[in-house]
């Protein structure tokens, strides 16, 4: 029997590890949200067009794919915290270098490095948090992704404010680089959690085997909705300016509104997960996102519609990432390899859909942004319908709704 002191120490260790992951994902949110408002400035720095500079988003997403693949393998073999702390430091160095490089191809390499570090941090935080909390991870994973949204909320304002004061995007990236240091310190201060042992989930042995059909559907779901989430978040700034819906400052605040709504959606999911099943939350979020995109497309010239639709899109897309992970955790053992398979879909979606928007943004017009996001969310809804059908009637590995 464990002593009271041992139990208290274990609980304290869990809290400190959880806090480290929360801080790290907030830093990751800052990285993700900074890219969109910085695109016009980076195009100016590299003397390129938007269609060319959008390749930076693909380089970032390709780096994420490499980070997910490498991170999934590393987590199953070595202690996670030192690897993640190194990734944080490398990401900070990459952020510092971004505004200093005038050549697009060299900048693409730096963005690839930044994406690789982001991918390792993303898969690391999600996997390790699930190992720390097991079947109780639902509220924690939603709260952690709220921190991602909170970091993403502040990043566009930091970039806009410092760019307005200095006349250049450099200081915004340098400040974001410094904000990564607390994450590295928090990770190094705590021992890594023990790796997942699938034997611990053998209460229902037939369910303990990985269902690769469900894994493939979840990866495709990630592809669609992450492409929509980043496509909206990375291009809404330029969309607002090009359609004449607001000034640079207004575009920055609308971008922050989107990421702030993502954070609020994830915060709401923390409480909803205590009362409703992941399946129910996912259906509600998907239908809400379709309604928000319909409003924007129905009234493309309305400032009111873009503010309301942006908030609605962020609020309903926001919970999808953590809730689908909670859904997966209830139906299969979660190892670093399984998580990396999920996140391959994440990186491919983040690579393809924002890039596609960039390729046709100038030739077709800004509205292509919203059509692409709407199409991606329709695909996500259809894929989740297939996933719900495949997993119908199964007894979950975890107790709960």
């Amino acid at each position: 029997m464990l002593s009271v002191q041992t139990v208290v120490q274990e609980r304290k260790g869990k809290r400190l590890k959880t806090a480290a992951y929360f801080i790290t994902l907030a830093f990751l949110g800052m990285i993700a949200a900074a890219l969109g408002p910085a695109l016009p400035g980076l195009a100016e720095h590299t003397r390129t067009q938007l269609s060319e500079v959008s390749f930076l988003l693909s380089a970032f997403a390709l780096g994420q794919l490499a980070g997910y693949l490498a991170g999934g393998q590393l987590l199953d073999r070595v202690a996670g915290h030192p690897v993640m702390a190194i990734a944080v430091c490398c990401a900070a160095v990459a952020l510092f270098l971004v505004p200093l490089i005038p050549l697009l191809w060299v900048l693409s390499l730096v963005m690839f490095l930044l994406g690789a570090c982001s991918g390792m941090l993303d898969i690391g935080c999600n996997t390790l948090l699930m190992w720390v909390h097991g079947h109780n991870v639902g509220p924690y994973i939603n709260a952690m992704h709220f921190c991602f949204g909170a970091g993403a909320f502040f990043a566009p304002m930091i970039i806009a404010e410092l760019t307005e004061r200095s006349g250049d995007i450099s200081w915004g990236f340098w400040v974001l680089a410094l904000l990564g240091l607390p994450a590295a310190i928090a990770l190094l201060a705590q021992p890594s959690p023990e790796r997942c042992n699938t034997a611990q989930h053998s209460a229902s042995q037939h369910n303990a085997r990985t269902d690769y059909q469900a894994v493939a559907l979840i990866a495709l779901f990630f592809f669609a909705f992450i492409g929509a989430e980043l496509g909206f978040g990375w291009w809404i700034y330029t969309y607002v300016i090009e359609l004449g819906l607001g000034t640079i400052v207004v575009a920055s605040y609308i971008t922050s509104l989107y990421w702030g709504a993502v954070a609020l959606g994830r915060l709401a999911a923390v409480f909803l997960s205590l009362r409703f099943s992941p399946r129910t939350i996912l259906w509600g979020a998907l239908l809400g996102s379709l309604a928000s995109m319909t409003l924007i497309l129905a009234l493309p010239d309305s400032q009111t519609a873009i503010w309301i639709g942006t908030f609605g899109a962020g609020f309903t897309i926001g919970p999808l990432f953590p809730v689908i992970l909670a859904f997966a955790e209830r139906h299969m053992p979660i190892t670093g390899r399984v998580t990396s398979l999920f996140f391959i879909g994440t990186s491919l979606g983040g690579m393809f859909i924002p890039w596609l928007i960039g390729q046709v943004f100038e030739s077709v017009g800004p509205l292509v942004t919203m059509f692409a996001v709407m199409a991606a969310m329709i695909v996500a809804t259809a894929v989740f319908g297939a996933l719900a059908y495949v997993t119908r009637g199964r007894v979950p590995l975890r107790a709960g709704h």
Side-chain angles (χ1 to χ4, degrees):
M1 182 178 293
L2 295 176
S3 66
V4 174
Q5 184 177 4
T6 302
V7 172
V8 171
Q9 289 177 341
E10 286 184 354
R11 290 179 177 175
K12 181 180 178 181
K14 284 186 176 183
R15 287 196 298 269
L16 291 174
K17 290 182 179 70
T18 301
Y21 307 146
F22 283 13
I23 294 169
T24 303
L25 221 66
F27 176 57
L28 198 59
M30 292 182 183
I31 294 173
L35 300 182
L39 280 179
L42 292 176
E44 198 174 306
H45 270 221
T46 56
R47 298 180 181 179
T48 56
Q49 302 296 318
L50 280 176
S51 59
E52 296 173 291
V53 82
S54 66
F55 278 99
L56 295 177
L57 303 180
S58 296
F60 178 84
L62 185 62
Q64 277 190 315
L65 175 59
Y68 290 145
L69 292 173
Q73 297 298 320
L74 286 171
L75 289 174
D76 287 336
R77 288 170 171 77
V78 301
H81 285 188
V83 172
M84 291 172 64
I86 292 171
V88 169
C89 293
C90 289
V93 171
L95 283 171
F96 185 84
L97 292 175
V98 163
L100 299 178
I101 299 173
L103 298 176
L104 184 63
W105 72 270
V106 179
L107 184 55
S108 297
L109 295 177
V110 174
M111 292 298 287
F112 178 88
L113 172 63
L114 183 61
C117 295
S118 298
M120 294 186 72
L121 293 174
D122 201 356
I123 194 172
C125 287
N126 284 282
T127 303
L128 297 184
L129 188 74
M130 286 188 279
W131 290 357
V132 168
H133 293 286
H135 67 277
N136 296 316
V137 74
Y140 295 100
I141 204 165
N142 280 296
M144 183 177 71
H145 284 274
F146 164 76
C147 293
F148 176 95
F153 171 74
F154 287 107
M157 291 191 290
I158 292 173
I159 294 289
E161 183 66 25
L162 293 176
T163 299
E164 188 175 356
R165 288 174 180 267
S166 64
D168 190 73
I169 61 172
S170 299
W171 277 104
F173 277 92
W174 295 342
V175 168
L176 292 183
L178 289 175
L179 291 175
L181 296 181
I185 294 170
L187 288 166
L188 290 174
Q190 293 298 314
S192 304
E194 295 182 6
R195 290 185 286 278
C196 175
N197 179 2
T198 55
Q200 295 173 351
H201 304 302
S202 61
S204 299
Q205 188 62 37
H206 65 284
N207 278 336
R209 299 189 186 96
T210 301
D211 181 350
Y212 284 101
Q213 183 182 28
V215 170
L217 286 170
I218 292 173
L220 183 56
F221 182 77
F222 272 116
F223 173 91
F225 91 82
I226 287 294
E229 178 183 272
L230 294 181
F232 197 109
W234 284 348
W235 285 104
I236 184 62
Y237 176 89
T238 310
Y239 173 90
V240 170
I241 293 174
E242 292 299 319
L243 275 184
L245 295 173
T247 63
I248 291 176
V249 174
V250 171
S252 298
Y253 279 110
I254 289 178
T255 304
S256 287
L257 173 68
Y258 173 73
W259 290 111
V262 168
L264 287 176
R266 290 173 177 174
L267 181 62
V270 174
F271 301 100
L272 290 173
S273 66
L274 300 175
R275 186 175 182 86
F276 300 102
S277 69
R279 189 184 303 257
T280 301
I281 298 172
L282 287 165
W283 276 125
L286 288 166
L287 295 176
S289 67
L290 292 176
S292 299
M293 295 310 304
T294 299
L295 174 64
I296 294 175
L297 286 170
L299 302 169
D301 298 322
S302 170
Q303 290 185 337
T304 302
I306 194 63
W307 282 95
I308 296 174
T310 296
F311 179 85
F315 188 80
T316 52
I317 291 175
L320 295 177
F321 194 111
V323 178
I324 193 63
L325 285 177
F327 179 91
E329 201 275 338
R330 293 181 67 220
H331 289 86
M332 66 188 70
I334 300 298
T335 64
R337 183 170 182 270
V338 168
T339 310
S340 67
L341 291 174
F342 292 162
F343 284 17
I344 287 173
T346 296
S347 59
L348 291 177
M351 186 189 312
F352 177 71
I353 295 176
W355 170 83
L356 180 63
I357 293 171
Q359 295 312 293
V360 296
F361 190 95
E362 291 173 316
S363 59
V364 176
L367 276 175
V368 72
T369 303
M370 298 306 163
F371 280 112
V373 172
M374 181 69 158
M377 290 311 302
I378 290 173
V379 171
T381 304
V383 170
F384 184 68
L387 180 63
Y389 179 80
V390 166
T391 58
R392 75 194 188 285
R394 292 185 185 177
V395 178
L397 287 176
R398 320 289 176 251
H401 292 289

